[in-house]
């Protein structure tokens, strides 16, 4: 497969000239054979579309625009014969606070790695498509996201083919997400991950920082999902909650470090089959924030565990259960600041049944 340098097709890379047509010609030249598109040093003002398989975008240059991954629409099994095998690596994508970094629809088998996203509205955006898993099997890893409103964004519209989920099997791992704009009104991030209609997510080993721009919400927000694993992440300074998961099945939230969320460390609603284990949920000593470590509501068939979590200095309680059942609360350790509330609050037995507690160690909570 050939390797193509975009400058051989007339791209200037001076940050001023619109290089869109030159780059599109370069990509079109290998749409039937596959190959690599090289962006050497320079700033390429361009928006361009990849719509074929076996393409790699790489180089040391900066793309001042958006990359569209728009695969071929399929009416049969898109995993066999659909548009696939694209790699985007090493480049920088500059969004100028007005554009997304990479827009995606109708693609399977994509790897995005070692990319710097700067000032993007949404770094990786799965567009609104009314088909089940129009995109699937994406690996998004080892990227740096700087001053982007969103990192990973999965948009949703109800599929018309009978399914429930629009994107499947995403690995979002070992990414560094930071906001350098530390003053009110600056361009900054709202959610690190925002997803609706996702079937299969491994979110692992990421570091998510918020700035202080005034628009920050939650580190991770996921609604309408199946099979989600949130593991080993470092989640800082959510102005709402660090992790919000709603209306889903088969959830594991484990071994995350969560610091200084203003409302909830982990907020769960209408969950079937959940494991919340080994998380370190902390708040600053001396701050009277009305916060809860783990909150679970409207989950009559949670059928899971809240176990072995360390919950330090929540403003209200360590664990709160409301209208939820079949829960084992075991081996948690927690300490309150002011002794205002019980460590574990469970609503009446008529709505929460089979909630067991064992071997927890809570200090300085209200008796």
């Amino acid at each position: 497969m050939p390797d193509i340098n975009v400058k051989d097709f007339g791209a200037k890379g001076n940050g001023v000239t619109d290089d869109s047509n030159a780059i599109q010609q370069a990509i079109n030249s290998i749409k039937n054979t596959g190959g690599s598109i090289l962006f050497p040093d320079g700033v390429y003002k361009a928006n361009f579309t990849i719509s074929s398989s076996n393409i790699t975008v790489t180089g040391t240059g900066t793309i001042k625009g958006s990359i569209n991954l728009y695969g071929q629409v399929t009416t049969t099994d898109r995993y066999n014969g659909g548009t696939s095998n694209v790699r985007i690596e090493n480049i920088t994508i500059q969004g100028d606070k007005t554009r997304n970094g990479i827009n995606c629809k109708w693609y399977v088998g994509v790897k995005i790695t070692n990319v710097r996203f700067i000032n993007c509205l949404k770094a990786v955006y799965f567009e609104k498509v009314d088909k089940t898993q129009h995109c699937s099997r994406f690996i998004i890893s080892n990227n740096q996201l700087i001053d982007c409103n969103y990192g990973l964004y999965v948009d949703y519209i109800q599929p018309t083919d009978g399914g429930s989920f629009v994107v499947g099997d995403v690995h979002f791992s070992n990414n560094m997400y930071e906001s350098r704009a530390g003053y009110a009104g600056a361009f900054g991030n709202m959610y690190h991950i925002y997803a609706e209609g996702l079937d299969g997510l491994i979110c692992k080993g990421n570091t998510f920082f918020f700035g202080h721009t005034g628009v920050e919400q939650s580190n991770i927000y996921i609604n309408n999902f199946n099979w989600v694993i949130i593991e080993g992440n470092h989640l800082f300074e959510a102005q709402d909650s660090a992790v919000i998961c709603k209306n889903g099945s088969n959830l594991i939230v484990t071994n995350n470090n969560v610091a200084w969320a203003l409302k909830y460390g982990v907020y769960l609603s209408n969950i079937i089959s959940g494991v919340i284990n080994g998380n370190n949920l902390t708040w600053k000593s001396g701050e009277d924030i009305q916060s809860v470590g783990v909150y679970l509501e409207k989950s009559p068939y949670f059928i899971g565990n809240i176990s072995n979590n360390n919950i330090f200095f929540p403003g209200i309680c360590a664990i709160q259960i409301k209208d939820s059942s079949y829960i084992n609360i075991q081996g948690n350790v927690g300490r309150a600041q002011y002794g205002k509330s019980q460590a574990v609050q469970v609503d009446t037995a008529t709505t929460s049944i089979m909630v067991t507690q064992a071997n927890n160690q809570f200090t300085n909570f209200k008796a």
Side-chain angles (χ1 to χ4, degrees):
M1 294 187 293
D3 295 333
I4 301 296
N5 189 320
V6 294
K7 288 195 171 182
D8 292 340
F9 284 77
K12 303 299 183 184
N14 58 20
V16 178
T17 303
D18 188 342
D19 288 325
S20 298
N21 289 335
I23 293 169
Q24 195 65 60
Q25 289 179 33
I27 291 169
N28 292 344
S29 73
I30 57 171
K31 66 179 182 181
N32 295 322
T33 62
S36 295
I37 301 293
L38 175 65
F39 287 81
D41 284 347
V43 177
Y44 300 85
K45 183 180 178 182
N47 298 296
F48 57 92
T49 298
I50 300 171
S51 58
S52 55
S53 299
N54 306 316
I55 302 292
T56 296
V57 176
T58 188
T60 56
T62 295
I63 296 171
K64 199 173 184 180
S66 299
I67 300 175
N68 299 316
L69 297 184
Y70 291 167
Q72 303 300 314
V73 176
T74 60
T75 57
T76 56
D77 183 3
R78 51 191 149 274
Y79 306 114
N80 295 311
T83 317
S84 64
N85 191 28
V86 164
R87 297 172 63 97
I88 301 175
E89 58 190 21
N90 301 325
I91 60 172
T92 297
I93 301 177
Q94 169 63 258
D96 284 341
K97 306 179 183 179
T98 59
R99 298 179 300 270
N100 300 327
I102 301 174
N103 300 306
C104 310
K105 59 184 179 181
W106 296 107
Y107 254 101
V108 177
V110 173
K111 187 172 184 180
I112 301 168
T113 184
N114 295 317
V115 174
R116 296 180 76 232
F117 295 91
I118 302 174
N119 288 146
C120 295
L121 296 177
K122 303 174 181 73
V124 179
Y125 175 49
F126 291 95
E127 296 194 9
K128 190 178 292 186
V129 177
D130 65 345
K131 300 297 179 183
T132 302
Q133 294 200 25
H134 67 90
C135 282
S136 185
R137 301 172 189 171
F138 275 61
I139 296 174
I140 305 167
S141 65
N142 297 293
N143 302 290
Q144 186 178 15
L145 303 101
I146 301 172
D147 294 338
C148 298
N149 277 167
Y150 301 85
L152 172 66
Y153 193 111
V154 178
D155 215 338
Y156 181 79
I157 186 172
Q158 178 66 46
T160 58
D161 54 7
S164 300
F165 308 107
V166 292
V167 171
D169 300 328
V170 176
H171 287 217
F172 193 86
S173 59
N174 300 316
N175 300 287
M176 172 65 76
Y177 198 135
E178 59 184 304
S179 177
R180 299 176 300 185
Y183 56 93
F187 184 83
N189 48 304
M190 300 175 67
Y191 295 86
H192 298 108
I193 294 177
Y194 187 99
E196 297 196 46
L198 185 54
D199 186 9
L201 169 69
I202 296 177
C203 175
K204 185 174 182 179
N206 303 286
T207 300
F208 294 158
F209 286 101
F210 273 125
H212 301 280
T213 67
V215 300
E216 295 84 5
Q217 297 295 317
S218 297
N219 301 109
I220 299 171
Y221 175 95
I222 302 175
N223 183 34
N224 181 25
F225 67 87
N226 185 35
W227 286 113
V228 165
I229 299 173
I230 300 171
E231 178 182 0
N233 302 284
H234 308 282
L235 310 176
F236 296 100
E237 296 189 276
Q239 296 301 293
D240 191 295
S241 306
V243 176
I244 298 176
C245 294
K246 302 166 63 176
N247 305 309
S249 303
N250 304 306
L251 171 68
I252 298 174
V253 181
T254 183
N255 297 326
N256 299 284
N257 292 315
V258 174
W260 319 313
L262 289 189
K263 291 185 179 179
Y264 302 97
V266 178
Y267 176 100
L268 310 173
S269 181
N270 190 24
I271 305 298
I272 298 174
S273 183
V275 175
I276 313 302
N277 178 74
N279 300 285
N280 188 40
L281 312 174
T282 66
W283 286 264
K284 295 178 181 178
S285 176
E287 287 191 351
D288 191 6
I289 295 173
Q290 297 301 294
S291 54
V292 173
V294 179
Y295 177 84
L296 173 64
E297 68 168 11
K298 301 177 183 177
S299 302
Y301 296 101
F302 184 72
I303 313 177
N305 299 286
I306 301 174
S307 57
N308 302 309
N309 300 285
N310 300 319
I311 306 172
F312 292 104
F313 302 138
I316 301 177
C317 57
I319 299 168
Q320 186 173 1
I321 308 297
K322 184 176 181 181
D323 301 328
S324 301
S325 302
Y326 306 106
I327 307 154
N328 179 31
I329 301 172
Q330 182 174 354
N332 300 282
V333 177
R335 179 174 175 81
Q337 296 201 68
Y338 304 107
K340 295 180 179 180
S341 305
Q342 293 177 318
V344 180
Q345 295 186 20
V346 181
D347 69 359
T348 62
T350 57
T351 53
S352 291
I353 61 174
M354 296 296 291
V355 179
T356 61
Q357 301 183 47
N359 302 316
N360 300 291
Q361 299 180 44
F362 295 117
T363 60
N364 206 36
F365 287 93
K366 183 177 179 181

